Amino acid sequence: MSKIYDIIVIGAGPAGLAAGIYGGRSKRSTLILEKAREGGQIIYTSEIANYPGSLDKESGISLIERMKSQVLKFGAELIYDTATEVDLSGEIKKVKGIAETYQGRTVIIASGAYPISIGAPGEMSFTGRGVSYCATCDGAFFSGLEVFVVGGGDSAITEAIELTNHARKVTVIHRRDQLRAVESLQEKAFANPKIDFMWDSVVKELRGGEVLDTVVVENVKTGKETVIKADPNDGFLGVFVFIGFKPTTELFAGKIDMENGYILTDEEMRTNVPGVFAAGDLRKKTFRQVITAVADGALAAVQAAKYIDSMGGE
Ligand code: NAP
């Protein structure tokens, strides 16, 4: 653990990668730590239509690949390791990983958020056997079959539309009688003959044998339960869950100021701990998109460099 990095970025989603580009380009030694695969939530998005410069029908995975090349071009290091403990109190911050402990003059927390589960009986046991949180990854398994999408936000509606490329029918199960998704997505979904809606409804239970074949849905207004069984010719069905995300901030609890698990920063991405910045969806803010995440990452890296200068670093 001899090397002391100027900037350690925790997480390689859009915010972390943008921080890596700005950190590397400003000639600060920059390390990005990623526990599994770079990209964060966006790799689950089949089409990024609203990020400036994204290619026509570009997937989240493709956009992330292009960001990653840019990061490496500017000299930031990308190491796959899971941060398990942090000591952010001193002038030199320590991030303990499974493989090694890393030291940095500054830390940018960009560990993102993860999908929330519905909490219905059967959800966990059928994950990967009918229950999915990623249409891009699993949509093709349901070619010609019937699938259900839980949620009414941008993710749910984007992915419901994407799933119509595979499934013969997509039913959106939403707990209210109005979607949260932006108008343009709503229009697309309502105009799609393959998409149906079950309003005021929640999933109560998921059942099956080897694979998921039954969804129990309750109408929250009437209390009426509907038991949906897979067509016997199909043998199984799919349930795709898109009901939002939770910030990945457990590691920083009690060490950094937060509200409901979201990290508080000022407009320059500074947390209450000197030399520690936060960027992306784990930050308390009103608009969580790729474009706001990358803006956060860029700002955090610029501020980290200024902080190093103010401390007399090189
Ligand atoms: P979201 O906007 O928070 O929507 C979550 C949806 O799930 C809402 O419709 C919510 O219902 C429903 N829900 C929440 N908890 C539930 C529960 N326990 N049971 C049943 N339903 C539940 O989350 P998101 O759609 O994942 O989007 C997250 C952020 O990413 C948003 O800012 C979104 O704009 C952004 N995003 C953007 C794009 C894009 O730009 N292409 C794509 C995906 C996501 P209620 O409406 O009743 O609260």
Side-chain angles (χ1 to χ4, degrees), residues 209-255:
E210 280 296 298
V211 288
L212 179 71
D213 60 23
T214 304
V215 186
V216 182
V217 177
E218 183 188 79
N219 183 300
V220 292
K221 285 194 173 153
T222 63
K224 187 176 169 244
E225 254 184 32
T226 306
V227 179
I228 303 161
K229 288 190 175 296
D231 185 310
N233 293 324
D234 298 340
F236 66 109
L237 44 73
V239 170
F240 287 79
V241 180
F242 302 105
I243 62 168
F245 297 89
K246 263 207 173 120
T248 314
T249 53
E250 293 86 354
L251 208 55
F252 312 100
K255 297 181 172 168

mmCIF file of all heavy atoms in Angstrom, residues 209-255:
data_model
loop_
_atom_site.group_PDB
_atom_site.id
_atom_site.type_symbol
_atom_site.label_atom_id
_atom_site.label_comp_id
_atom_site.label_asym_id
_atom_site.label_seq_id
_atom_site.Cartn_x
_atom_site.Cartn_y
_atom_site.Cartn_z
ATOM 1 N N GLY A 209 -42.494 -23.859 -10.333
ATOM 2 C CA GLY A 209 -41.741 -25.055 -9.966
ATOM 3 C C GLY A 209 -40.280 -24.749 -10.216
ATOM 4 O O GLY A 209 -39.668 -23.952 -9.501
ATOM 5 N N GLU A 210 -39.741 -25.363 -11.273
ATOM 6 C CA GLU A 210 -38.367 -25.053 -11.671
ATOM 7 C C GLU A 210 -38.227 -23.595 -12.090
ATOM 8 O O GLU A 210 -37.220 -22.955 -11.870
ATOM 9 C CB GLU A 210 -37.971 -25.950 -12.858
ATOM 10 C CG GLU A 210 -37.564 -27.355 -12.471
ATOM 11 C CD GLU A 210 -36.317 -27.354 -11.618
ATOM 12 O OE1 GLU A 210 -35.278 -26.907 -12.113
ATOM 13 O OE2 GLU A 210 -36.405 -27.777 -10.445
ATOM 14 N N VAL A 211 -39.303 -23.118 -12.757
ATOM 15 C CA VAL A 211 -39.303 -21.737 -13.258
ATOM 16 C C VAL A 211 -40.606 -21.050 -12.852
ATOM 17 O O VAL A 211 -41.579 -21.706 -12.470
ATOM 18 C CB VAL A 211 -39.160 -21.698 -14.806
ATOM 19 C CG1 VAL A 211 -37.757 -22.064 -15.240
ATOM 20 C CG2 VAL A 211 -40.186 -22.594 -15.473
ATOM 21 N N LEU A 212 -40.599 -19.739 -12.965
ATOM 22 C CA LEU A 212 -41.778 -18.956 -12.576
ATOM 23 C C LEU A 212 -42.935 -19.208 -13.554
ATOM 24 O O LEU A 212 -42.757 -19.100 -14.768
ATOM 25 C CB LEU A 212 -41.399 -17.468 -12.612
ATOM 26 C CG LEU A 212 -42.494 -16.469 -12.262
ATOM 27 C CD1 LEU A 212 -42.826 -16.518 -10.772
ATOM 28 C CD2 LEU A 212 -42.064 -15.051 -12.654
ATOM 29 N N ASP A 213 -44.110 -19.562 -13.000
ATOM 30 C CA ASP A 213 -45.248 -19.752 -13.911
ATOM 31 C C ASP A 213 -46.531 -19.078 -13.416
ATOM 32 O O ASP A 213 -47.554 -19.129 -14.096
ATOM 33 C CB ASP A 213 -45.490 -21.242 -14.217
ATOM 34 C CG ASP A 213 -45.798 -22.063 -12.970
ATOM 35 O OD1 ASP A 213 -46.243 -21.486 -11.958
ATOM 36 O OD2 ASP A 213 -45.577 -23.295 -13.004
ATOM 37 N N THR A 214 -46.482 -18.435 -12.227
ATOM 38 C CA THR A 214 -47.700 -17.825 -11.694
ATOM 39 C C THR A 214 -47.380 -16.493 -11.008
ATOM 40 O O THR A 214 -46.415 -16.401 -10.246
ATOM 41 C CB THR A 214 -48.363 -18.768 -10.649
ATOM 42 O OG1 THR A 214 -48.588 -20.029 -11.282
ATOM 43 C CG2 THR A 214 -49.679 -18.213 -10.129
ATOM 44 N N VAL A 215 -48.206 -15.489 -11.299
ATOM 45 C CA VAL A 215 -48.061 -14.188 -10.634
ATOM 46 C C VAL A 215 -49.386 -13.868 -9.949
ATOM 47 O O VAL A 215 -50.441 -13.921 -10.592
ATOM 48 C CB VAL A 215 -47.768 -13.059 -11.655
ATOM 49 C CG1 VAL A 215 -47.472 -11.744 -10.939
ATOM 50 C CG2 VAL A 215 -46.626 -13.423 -12.563
ATOM 51 N N VAL A 216 -49.325 -13.573 -8.663
ATOM 52 C CA VAL A 216 -50.543 -13.194 -7.949
ATOM 53 C C VAL A 216 -50.525 -11.670 -7.782
ATOM 54 O O VAL A 216 -49.582 -11.107 -7.217
ATOM 55 C CB VAL A 216 -50.631 -13.879 -6.564
ATOM 56 C CG1 VAL A 216 -51.935 -13.504 -5.860
ATOM 57 C CG2 VAL A 216 -50.502 -15.387 -6.706
ATOM 58 N N VAL A 217 -51.566 -11.029 -8.308
ATOM 59 C CA VAL A 217 -51.632 -9.566 -8.305
ATOM 60 C C VAL A 217 -52.848 -9.126 -7.496
ATOM 61 O O VAL A 217 -53.921 -9.718 -7.597
ATOM 62 C CB VAL A 217 -51.746 -9.044 -9.764
ATOM 63 C CG1 VAL A 217 -51.881 -7.532 -9.799
ATOM 64 C CG2 VAL A 217 -50.537 -9.474 -10.580
ATOM 65 N N GLU A 218 -52.641 -8.068 -6.680
ATOM 66 C CA GLU A 218 -53.769 -7.549 -5.894
ATOM 67 C C GLU A 218 -54.104 -6.138 -6.346
ATOM 68 O O GLU A 218 -53.203 -5.308 -6.531
ATOM 69 C CB GLU A 218 -53.404 -7.527 -4.413
ATOM 70 C CG GLU A 218 -54.565 -7.066 -3.526
ATOM 71 C CD GLU A 218 -54.139 -6.868 -2.084
ATOM 72 O OE1 GLU A 218 -53.527 -5.820 -1.779
ATOM 73 O OE2 GLU A 218 -54.389 -7.765 -1.266
ATOM 74 N N ASN A 219 -55.385 -5.885 -6.511
ATOM 75 C CA ASN A 219 -55.823 -4.523 -6.797
ATOM 76 C C ASN A 219 -55.886 -3.781 -5.456
ATOM 77 O O ASN A 219 -56.618 -4.198 -4.546
ATOM 78 C CB ASN A 219 -57.189 -4.531 -7.487
ATOM 79 C CG ASN A 219 -57.630 -3.130 -7.864
ATOM 80 O OD1 ASN A 219 -57.783 -2.245 -7.016
ATOM 81 N ND2 ASN A 219 -57.821 -2.906 -9.153
ATOM 82 N N VAL A 220 -55.103 -2.697 -5.339
ATOM 83 C CA VAL A 220 -54.991 -2.026 -4.034
ATOM 84 C C VAL A 220 -56.257 -1.244 -3.685
ATOM 85 O O VAL A 220 -56.468 -0.893 -2.522
ATOM 86 C CB VAL A 220 -53.759 -1.087 -3.972
ATOM 87 C CG1 VAL A 220 -52.472 -1.877 -4.000
ATOM 88 C CG2 VAL A 220 -53.771 -0.044 -5.084
ATOM 89 N N LYS A 221 -57.109 -0.973 -4.665
ATOM 90 C CA LYS A 221 -58.347 -0.234 -4.371
ATOM 91 C C LYS A 221 -59.464 -1.178 -3.954
ATOM 92 O O LYS A 221 -60.219 -0.890 -3.036
ATOM 93 C CB LYS A 221 -58.777 0.588 -5.594
ATOM 94 C CG LYS A 221 -57.912 1.831 -5.770
ATOM 95 C CD LYS A 221 -58.496 2.824 -6.727
ATOM 96 C CE LYS A 221 -57.673 4.106 -6.728
ATOM 97 N NZ LYS A 221 -57.765 4.817 -7.997
ATOM 98 N N THR A 222 -59.553 -2.327 -4.636
ATOM 99 C CA THR A 222 -60.672 -3.240 -4.358
ATOM 100 C C THR A 222 -60.255 -4.416 -3.478
ATOM 101 O O THR A 222 -61.101 -5.108 -2.919
ATOM 102 C CB THR A 222 -61.222 -3.823 -5.679
ATOM 103 O OG1 THR A 222 -60.170 -4.592 -6.285
ATOM 104 C CG2 THR A 222 -61.675 -2.723 -6.638
ATOM 105 N N GLY A 223 -58.965 -4.662 -3.376
ATOM 106 C CA GLY A 223 -58.471 -5.815 -2.610
ATOM 107 C C GLY A 223 -58.596 -7.127 -3.394
ATOM 108 O O GLY A 223 -58.206 -8.185 -2.906
ATOM 109 N N LYS A 224 -59.114 -7.049 -4.617
ATOM 110 C CA LYS A 224 -59.319 -8.266 -5.417
ATOM 111 C C LYS A 224 -57.981 -8.854 -5.882
ATOM 112 O O LYS A 224 -57.108 -8.131 -6.346
ATOM 113 C CB LYS A 224 -60.178 -7.909 -6.642
ATOM 114 C CG LYS A 224 -60.587 -9.105 -7.451
ATOM 115 C CD LYS A 224 -61.520 -8.718 -8.587
ATOM 116 C CE LYS A 224 -61.664 -9.906 -9.519
ATOM 117 N NZ LYS A 224 -61.162 -9.684 -10.850
ATOM 118 N N GLU A 225 -57.872 -10.177 -5.711
ATOM 119 C CA GLU A 225 -56.654 -10.866 -6.147
ATOM 120 C C GLU A 225 -56.855 -11.514 -7.506
ATOM 121 O O GLU A 225 -57.893 -12.124 -7.752
ATOM 122 C CB GLU A 225 -56.304 -11.961 -5.133
ATOM 123 C CG GLU A 225 -55.131 -11.572 -4.278
ATOM 124 C CD GLU A 225 -54.698 -12.683 -3.341
ATOM 125 O OE1 GLU A 225 -54.825 -13.881 -3.671
ATOM 126 O OE2 GLU A 225 -54.232 -12.317 -2.270
ATOM 127 N N THR A 226 -55.864 -11.377 -8.386
ATOM 128 C CA THR A 226 -55.917 -12.044 -9.690
ATOM 129 C C THR A 226 -54.722 -12.982 -9.771
ATOM 130 O O THR A 226 -53.584 -12.567 -9.516
ATOM 131 C CB THR A 226 -55.810 -10.998 -10.833
ATOM 132 O OG1 THR A 226 -56.808 -10.009 -10.626
ATOM 133 C CG2 THR A 226 -55.999 -11.627 -12.195
ATOM 134 N N VAL A 227 -55.011 -14.244 -10.070
ATOM 135 C CA VAL A 227 -53.925 -15.223 -10.209
ATOM 136 C C VAL A 227 -53.673 -15.430 -11.704
ATOM 137 O O VAL A 227 -54.541 -15.913 -12.426
ATOM 138 C CB VAL A 227 -54.292 -16.559 -9.520
ATOM 139 C CG1 VAL A 227 -53.172 -17.580 -9.703
ATOM 140 C CG2 VAL A 227 -54.585 -16.323 -8.035
ATOM 141 N N ILE A 228 -52.483 -14.999 -12.149
ATOM 142 C CA ILE A 228 -52.154 -15.095 -13.577
ATOM 143 C C ILE A 228 -51.237 -16.301 -13.773
ATOM 144 O O ILE A 228 -50.167 -16.372 -13.160
ATOM 145 C CB ILE A 228 -51.433 -13.823 -14.063
ATOM 146 C CG1 ILE A 228 -52.298 -12.592 -13.774
ATOM 147 C CG2 ILE A 228 -51.082 -13.913 -15.533
ATOM 148 C CD1 ILE A 228 -51.526 -11.291 -13.786
ATOM 149 N N LYS A 229 -51.683 -17.211 -14.618
ATOM 150 C CA LYS A 229 -50.855 -18.412 -14.861
ATOM 151 C C LYS A 229 -50.261 -18.363 -16.266
ATOM 152 O O LYS A 229 -50.894 -17.825 -17.180
ATOM 153 C CB LYS A 229 -51.722 -19.668 -14.726
ATOM 154 C CG LYS A 229 -52.109 -19.964 -13.277
ATOM 155 C CD LYS A 229 -52.759 -21.323 -13.171
ATOM 156 C CE LYS A 229 -53.054 -21.696 -11.745
ATOM 157 N NZ LYS A 229 -51.882 -21.847 -10.893
ATOM 158 N N ALA A 230 -49.090 -18.910 -16.420
ATOM 159 C CA ALA A 230 -48.467 -18.965 -17.750
ATOM 160 C C ALA A 230 -49.329 -19.805 -18.679
ATOM 161 O O ALA A 230 -49.943 -20.790 -18.234
ATOM 162 C CB ALA A 230 -47.071 -19.583 -17.646
ATOM 163 N N ASP A 231 -49.391 -19.423 -19.935
ATOM 164 C CA ASP A 231 -50.064 -20.238 -20.945
ATOM 165 C C ASP A 231 -49.409 -21.625 -20.917
ATOM 166 O O ASP A 231 -48.182 -21.722 -20.946
ATOM 167 C CB ASP A 231 -49.852 -19.547 -22.302
ATOM 168 C CG ASP A 231 -50.600 -20.229 -23.423
ATOM 169 O OD1 ASP A 231 -50.479 -21.478 -23.572
ATOM 170 O OD2 ASP A 231 -51.275 -19.507 -24.170
ATOM 171 N N PRO A 232 -50.217 -22.708 -20.848
ATOM 172 C CA PRO A 232 -49.617 -24.052 -20.776
ATOM 173 C C PRO A 232 -48.655 -24.346 -21.926
ATOM 174 O O PRO A 232 -47.686 -25.087 -21.762
ATOM 175 C CB PRO A 232 -50.837 -24.991 -20.834
ATOM 176 C CG PRO A 232 -52.013 -24.151 -20.481
ATOM 177 C CD PRO A 232 -51.694 -22.733 -20.824
ATOM 178 N N ASN A 233 -48.896 -23.722 -23.092
ATOM 179 C CA ASN A 233 -47.968 -23.936 -24.215
ATOM 180 C C ASN A 233 -46.615 -23.284 -23.973
ATOM 181 O O ASN A 233 -45.589 -23.699 -24.519
ATOM 182 C CB ASN A 233 -48.547 -23.362 -25.513
ATOM 183 C CG ASN A 233 -49.761 -24.140 -25.961
ATOM 184 O OD1 ASN A 233 -49.806 -25.361 -25.799
ATOM 185 N ND2 ASN A 233 -50.756 -23.435 -26.470
ATOM 186 N N ASP A 234 -46.612 -22.223 -23.156
ATOM 187 C CA ASP A 234 -45.348 -21.535 -22.834
ATOM 188 C C ASP A 234 -44.639 -22.232 -21.674
ATOM 189 O O ASP A 234 -43.423 -22.391 -21.692
ATOM 190 C CB ASP A 234 -45.599 -20.079 -22.416
ATOM 191 C CG ASP A 234 -46.232 -19.240 -23.516
ATOM 192 O OD1 ASP A 234 -46.129 -19.654 -24.682
ATOM 193 O OD2 ASP A 234 -46.817 -18.187 -23.198
ATOM 194 N N GLY A 235 -45.392 -22.560 -20.647
ATOM 195 C CA GLY A 235 -44.812 -23.221 -19.472
ATOM 196 C C GLY A 235 -44.254 -22.252 -18.441
ATOM 197 O O GLY A 235 -44.157 -22.575 -17.269
ATOM 198 N N PHE A 236 -43.858 -21.070 -18.865
ATOM 199 C CA PHE A 236 -43.359 -20.101 -17.881
ATOM 200 C C PHE A 236 -43.586 -18.677 -18.369
ATOM 201 O O PHE A 236 -43.961 -18.450 -19.523
ATOM 202 C CB PHE A 236 -41.880 -20.338 -17.548
ATOM 203 C CG PHE A 236 -40.927 -20.106 -18.686
ATOM 204 C CD1 PHE A 236 -40.084 -18.997 -18.680
ATOM 205 C CD2 PHE A 236 -40.850 -20.992 -19.751
ATOM 206 C CE1 PHE A 236 -39.181 -18.777 -19.719
ATOM 207 C CE2 PHE A 236 -39.941 -20.781 -20.791
ATOM 208 C CZ PHE A 236 -39.115 -19.681 -20.777
ATOM 209 N N LEU A 237 -43.395 -17.737 -17.469
ATOM 210 C CA LEU A 237 -43.547 -16.317 -17.815
ATOM 211 C C LEU A 237 -42.449 -15.522 -17.124
ATOM 212 O O LEU A 237 -41.693 -16.064 -16.311
ATOM 213 C CB LEU A 237 -44.944 -15.800 -17.446
ATOM 214 C CG LEU A 237 -45.547 -16.175 -16.095
ATOM 215 C CD1 LEU A 237 -44.879 -15.424 -14.972
ATOM 216 C CD2 LEU A 237 -47.046 -15.894 -16.088
ATOM 217 N N GLY A 238 -42.376 -14.229 -17.446
ATOM 218 C CA GLY A 238 -41.311 -13.392 -16.872
ATOM 219 C C GLY A 238 -41.882 -12.218 -16.100
ATOM 220 O O GLY A 238 -42.937 -11.684 -16.453
ATOM 221 N N VAL A 239 -41.186 -11.846 -15.028
ATOM 222 C CA VAL A 239 -41.541 -10.625 -14.291
ATOM 223 C C VAL A 239 -40.290 -9.758 -14.206
ATOM 224 O O VAL A 239 -39.258 -10.200 -13.683
ATOM 225 C CB VAL A 239 -42.080 -10.950 -12.883
ATOM 226 C CG1 VAL A 239 -42.200 -9.683 -12.040
ATOM 227 C CG2 VAL A 239 -43.438 -11.637 -12.971
ATOM 228 N N PHE A 240 -40.383 -8.566 -14.752
ATOM 229 C CA PHE A 240 -39.260 -7.622 -14.743
ATOM 230 C C PHE A 240 -39.588 -6.493 -13.771
ATOM 231 O O PHE A 240 -40.622 -5.839 -13.896
ATOM 232 C CB PHE A 240 -39.013 -7.064 -16.149
ATOM 233 C CG PHE A 240 -38.397 -8.069 -17.068
ATOM 234 C CD1 PHE A 240 -39.167 -9.065 -17.663
ATOM 235 C CD2 PHE A 240 -37.037 -8.045 -17.328
ATOM 236 C CE1 PHE A 240 -38.584 -10.016 -18.504
ATOM 237 C CE2 PHE A 240 -36.445 -8.984 -18.172
ATOM 238 C CZ PHE A 240 -37.224 -9.972 -18.764
ATOM 239 N N VAL A 241 -38.704 -6.297 -12.795
ATOM 240 C CA VAL A 241 -38.970 -5.332 -11.716
ATOM 241 C C VAL A 241 -38.159 -4.055 -11.937
ATOM 242 O O VAL A 241 -36.926 -4.105 -12.038
ATOM 243 C CB VAL A 241 -38.598 -5.955 -10.344
ATOM 244 C CG1 VAL A 241 -38.857 -4.967 -9.215
ATOM 245 C CG2 VAL A 241 -39.376 -7.251 -10.117
ATOM 246 N N PHE A 242 -38.869 -2.913 -12.005
ATOM 247 C CA PHE A 242 -38.184 -1.608 -12.149
ATOM 248 C C PHE A 242 -38.885 -0.593 -11.254
ATOM 249 O O PHE A 242 -39.661 0.242 -11.729
ATOM 250 C CB PHE A 242 -38.233 -1.124 -13.611
ATOM 251 C CG PHE A 242 -37.626 -2.081 -14.585
ATOM 252 C CD1 PHE A 242 -38.421 -2.851 -15.406
ATOM 253 C CD2 PHE A 242 -36.244 -2.229 -14.666
ATOM 254 C CE1 PHE A 242 -37.860 -3.748 -16.305
ATOM 255 C CE2 PHE A 242 -35.672 -3.121 -15.563
ATOM 256 C CZ PHE A 242 -36.485 -3.890 -16.385
ATOM 257 N N ILE A 243 -38.655 -0.700 -9.955
ATOM 258 C CA ILE A 243 -39.382 0.205 -9.050
ATOM 259 C C ILE A 243 -38.438 1.167 -8.325
ATOM 260 O O ILE A 243 -38.742 1.645 -7.245
ATOM 261 C CB ILE A 243 -40.258 -0.573 -8.045
ATOM 262 C CG1 ILE A 243 -39.414 -1.483 -7.143
ATOM 263 C CG2 ILE A 243 -41.332 -1.359 -8.766
ATOM 264 C CD1 ILE A 243 -40.187 -2.028 -5.962
ATOM 265 N N GLY A 244 -37.316 1.443 -8.934
ATOM 266 C CA GLY A 244 -36.416 2.443 -8.362
ATOM 267 C C GLY A 244 -35.151 1.836 -7.780
ATOM 268 O O GLY A 244 -34.904 0.632 -7.919
ATOM 269 N N PHE A 245 -34.404 2.690 -7.147
ATOM 270 C CA PHE A 245 -33.058 2.322 -6.708
ATOM 271 C C PHE A 245 -32.779 2.816 -5.289
ATOM 272 O O PHE A 245 -33.438 3.723 -4.814
ATOM 273 C CB PHE A 245 -32.033 2.931 -7.669
ATOM 274 C CG PHE A 245 -32.171 2.390 -9.053
ATOM 275 C CD1 PHE A 245 -33.014 2.993 -9.967
ATOM 276 C CD2 PHE A 245 -31.492 1.251 -9.418
ATOM 277 C CE1 PHE A 245 -33.166 2.474 -11.244
ATOM 278 C CE2 PHE A 245 -31.635 0.720 -10.685
ATOM 279 C CZ PHE A 245 -32.471 1.336 -11.593
ATOM 280 N N LYS A 246 -31.791 2.185 -4.650
ATOM 281 C CA LYS A 246 -31.326 2.614 -3.321
ATOM 282 C C LYS A 246 -29.869 3.009 -3.427
ATOM 283 O O LYS A 246 -29.099 2.332 -4.121
ATOM 284 C CB LYS A 246 -31.412 1.416 -2.356
ATOM 285 C CG LYS A 246 -32.657 1.378 -1.523
ATOM 286 C CD LYS A 246 -32.363 0.632 -0.217
ATOM 287 C CE LYS A 246 -33.540 0.723 0.703
ATOM 288 N NZ LYS A 246 -34.104 -0.549 1.070
ATOM 289 N N PRO A 247 -29.450 4.063 -2.727
ATOM 290 C CA PRO A 247 -28.039 4.461 -2.812
ATOM 291 C C PRO A 247 -27.120 3.450 -2.119
ATOM 292 O O PRO A 247 -27.492 2.888 -1.090
ATOM 293 C CB PRO A 247 -28.017 5.803 -2.073
ATOM 294 C CG PRO A 247 -29.189 5.754 -1.153
ATOM 295 C CD PRO A 247 -30.232 4.912 -1.827
ATOM 296 N N THR A 248 -25.957 3.244 -2.706
ATOM 297 C CA THR A 248 -24.967 2.324 -2.113
ATOM 298 C C THR A 248 -24.047 3.135 -1.212
ATOM 299 O O THR A 248 -22.952 3.532 -1.625
ATOM 300 C CB THR A 248 -24.147 1.644 -3.240
ATOM 301 O OG1 THR A 248 -25.052 1.196 -4.231
ATOM 302 C CG2 THR A 248 -23.352 0.464 -2.725
ATOM 303 N N THR A 249 -24.515 3.401 -0.018
ATOM 304 C CA THR A 249 -23.741 4.303 0.846
ATOM 305 C C THR A 249 -23.503 3.725 2.251
ATOM 306 O O THR A 249 -23.024 4.446 3.130
ATOM 307 C CB THR A 249 -24.476 5.660 0.993
ATOM 308 O OG1 THR A 249 -25.814 5.407 1.424
ATOM 309 C CG2 THR A 249 -24.500 6.438 -0.300
ATOM 310 N N GLU A 250 -23.820 2.443 2.455
ATOM 311 C CA GLU A 250 -23.697 1.837 3.799
ATOM 312 C C GLU A 250 -22.282 2.017 4.367
ATOM 313 O O GLU A 250 -22.115 2.235 5.566
ATOM 314 C CB GLU A 250 -24.020 0.328 3.755
ATOM 315 C CG GLU A 250 -25.459 -0.014 3.428
ATOM 316 C CD GLU A 250 -25.722 -0.092 1.938
ATOM 317 O OE1 GLU A 250 -24.809 0.241 1.137
ATOM 318 O OE2 GLU A 250 -26.851 -0.461 1.549
ATOM 319 N N LEU A 251 -21.290 1.939 3.490
ATOM 320 C CA LEU A 251 -19.883 2.027 3.904
ATOM 321 C C LEU A 251 -19.554 3.372 4.576
ATOM 322 O O LEU A 251 -18.596 3.481 5.334
ATOM 323 C CB LEU A 251 -19.036 1.889 2.625
ATOM 324 C CG LEU A 251 -17.652 1.313 2.680
ATOM 325 C CD1 LEU A 251 -17.686 -0.058 3.321
ATOM 326 C CD2 LEU A 251 -17.093 1.216 1.262
ATOM 327 N N PHE A 252 -20.356 4.376 4.276
ATOM 328 C CA PHE A 252 -20.031 5.730 4.735
ATOM 329 C C PHE A 252 -20.950 6.198 5.866
ATOM 330 O O PHE A 252 -20.860 7.332 6.310
ATOM 331 C CB PHE A 252 -20.101 6.706 3.543
ATOM 332 C CG PHE A 252 -19.355 6.177 2.361
ATOM 333 C CD1 PHE A 252 -20.010 5.558 1.313
ATOM 334 C CD2 PHE A 252 -17.968 6.236 2.334
ATOM 335 C CE1 PHE A 252 -19.310 5.017 0.242
ATOM 336 C CE2 PHE A 252 -17.262 5.699 1.271
ATOM 337 C CZ PHE A 252 -17.929 5.088 0.221
ATOM 338 N N ALA A 253 -21.818 5.301 6.307
ATOM 339 C CA ALA A 253 -22.769 5.659 7.369
ATOM 340 C C ALA A 253 -22.001 6.076 8.617
ATOM 341 O O ALA A 253 -21.051 5.408 9.029
ATOM 342 C CB ALA A 253 -23.682 4.475 7.672
ATOM 343 N N GLY A 254 -22.379 7.210 9.176
ATOM 344 C CA GLY A 254 -21.735 7.705 10.393
ATOM 345 C C GLY A 254 -20.433 8.438 10.113
ATOM 346 O O GLY A 254 -19.840 9.024 11.012
ATOM 347 N N LYS A 255 -19.971 8.386 8.862
ATOM 348 C CA LYS A 255 -18.687 9.033 8.526
ATOM 349 C C LYS A 255 -18.884 10.289 7.704
ATOM 350 O O LYS A 255 -18.021 11.148 7.650
ATOM 351 C CB LYS A 255 -17.804 8.056 7.740
ATOM 352 C CG LYS A 255 -17.447 6.847 8.588
ATOM 353 C CD LYS A 255 -16.559 5.870 7.891
ATOM 354 C CE LYS A 255 -16.126 4.811 8.910
ATOM 355 N NZ LYS A 255 -15.490 3.673 8.350
#
